[in-house]
Amino acid sequence: MPFSDTSADLFRHVSADKAGIYRSIMASFAAAKRQFKLHMRPDEVLAEARWINGVPKLEEVHTALAQLAEWGNLEAQPDTARVASISDFYRARFLYRLSHGGEAVETALTAFAEALGRRAELQTVALEDIASRLKTLLALADAPTPDAAKLHETLRDLVRVFEGLADNAQAFMAGMARSIELQQADAAAVLAYKQRLIDYLERFIGDLVGRSGVIAQHIASLHPRIDPLLWAAAQREVRDAAPGDNQAQADALAQRQQAWRERWGGLRGWFVSTHHEPPQAEVLRSKARAAIPQLLAAVAALNERRSGRSDRSADFRVLASWFASCGSDDDAHRLGRAAFALNPARHFSLNPGTGHELPATTPWAEAPPLRIHPRLREYGEAAPRGPLPKVRERSEERALLARQLHEEHLQVEAARARLATGRTTRLSELGHLDPHAFALFLSLLGEALTAQSSPEDVVERQTGDGLLRIRLEPLEAHTRAEVITDAGVFAGRDHRITITATQAP
């Protein structure tokens, strides 16, 4: 719908000279609309409105109401209920109510204010609600005659929860960087916010990893049987459509069924990979994980500013003093290579078929001349223009990559089954570990040790991917453990270790 001048007049009260009075009046009419009041008189507006800049006079309210009616925000009609004489009849008295355009403007401004002040959040509860609604849909799909009302209600709740999850996740990831405000924030407050944000992200990532698999399984089980359910929900909605001929009813049913299919496709694309693209839940998890090092880098930059380094010029001044203190030119050259990564130049050739490889230490004066094709010198390109090469078929490479990923997945799952037994054992009792189990063991041990403030602390924490929980309890200082691997012997202080899987792989 085009934006006409009449529509623009509806917003004029927002930026007018007496915008405070206009907004207070419109807010009072919006409140009256919610209370099912049909009309309001000027004295009622004066008494019930919440005035922003002090209570105005009744004459100012009369003038503001007339102006709003002229702009189209209000509708006015003569007030004859309080007429007691002929003079009262001829005196202008009006009842006012919200017009259709004024109501639309108030709705738009309210939505604008809510969107501007909304604090987005990562909703872990929404994941649980989505899994619960999908289980209900599976039960309804298994029923001989599904309850149409229960089915429609479940689908509406599922779409509402999913849309809230997607919108809030997008807004959170987009506005997280703005919420840090490192330029003006106090260092202690930034560090405290950093820890709260990291804990918040780790908890959400753990829940997302833990529940995404279950939700994806429910969607995969439900997808072959979803069309009859969507058709039943669309058919129930068509009952409320405006009456018309049979073709209009059929078109309305087709449109609503298509709308439900699009919503289901959006939900499925969030948790199930389609067309070689990762699901949106994986993208959200990767962005949430990437936000942690970004925040740590921002805190490091804050610490750097606190230490007095305001720009790169200080670094160059220190480097200049180092150059000035060099004892010889050779030392200065070595310092220059280290500071600016001035490595020897590598020789290259535009004739790769010759097979001559020159070491990087060969001086350019002693290297063979570079042969350049005349066309390259004249036109700036070596090969003539022509049709683009055909797109190569990558199905075999893709299948090979899929097999390799499957084999790696099996190896990782075997390593997880080898270590995540849930039983407490000593490091000295682990015995021999294959390369995959040893790599998993090192990553788990590294995550646990980084959480220790002292070597005597008992640490228990969940891994970053949310799949495992590790508990590490140090033994006496004189104890020693050795883990045998294919690459050698890993030795150190002995600990009691408990690795537990938080969910089935």
Side-chain angles (χ1 to χ4, degrees), residues 48-171:
E48 297 181 11
R50 296 181 179 180
W51 302 104
I52 300 175
N53 300 321
V55 180
K57 297 180 180 180
L58 184 59
E59 291 77 7
E60 293 181 286
V61 176
H62 276 283
T63 304
L65 289 171
Q67 184 63 66
L68 288 171
E70 181 180 349
W71 285 335
N73 298 87
L74 300 177
E75 293 178 353
Q77 67 181 54
D79 181 11
T80 59
R82 296 181 180 180
V83 173
S85 62
I86 297 297
S87 60
D88 289 341
F89 181 82
Y90 286 106
R91 185 181 299 121
R93 297 175 183 270
F94 294 98
L95 291 172
Y96 295 93
R97 68 176 180 182
L98 272 178
S99 65
H100 182 69
E103 183 178 356
V105 168
E106 288 302 304
T107 303
L109 293 176
T110 302
F112 172 77
E114 291 178 353
L116 197 63
R118 184 184 68 177
R119 294 187 61 185
E121 55 192 11
L122 299 175
Q123 300 173 320
T124 57
V125 178
L127 297 171
E128 182 179 355
D129 292 341
I130 289 174
S132 175
R133 301 303 188 276
L134 289 173
K135 289 178 63 177
T136 304
L137 286 179
L138 283 171
L140 291 172
D142 294 334
T145 55
D147 186 352
K150 180 67 175 177
L151 172 63
H152 192 206
E153 178 186 1
T154 305
L155 282 173
R156 284 187 305 183
D157 289 346
L158 177 63
V159 170
R160 176 180 54 81
V161 173
F162 168 67
E163 289 178 348
L165 170 67
D167 292 343
N168 277 280
Q170 182 181 7

Side-chain angles (χ1 to χ4, degrees), residues 265-277:
L267 175 63
R268 185 167 177 263
W270 241 76
F271 296 99
V272 180
S273 177
T274 56
H275 304 296
H276 306 292
E277 295 181 359

Side-chain angles (χ1 to χ4, degrees), residues 388-392:
L388 295 175
K390 295 182 179 180
V391 178
R392 292 184 56 185

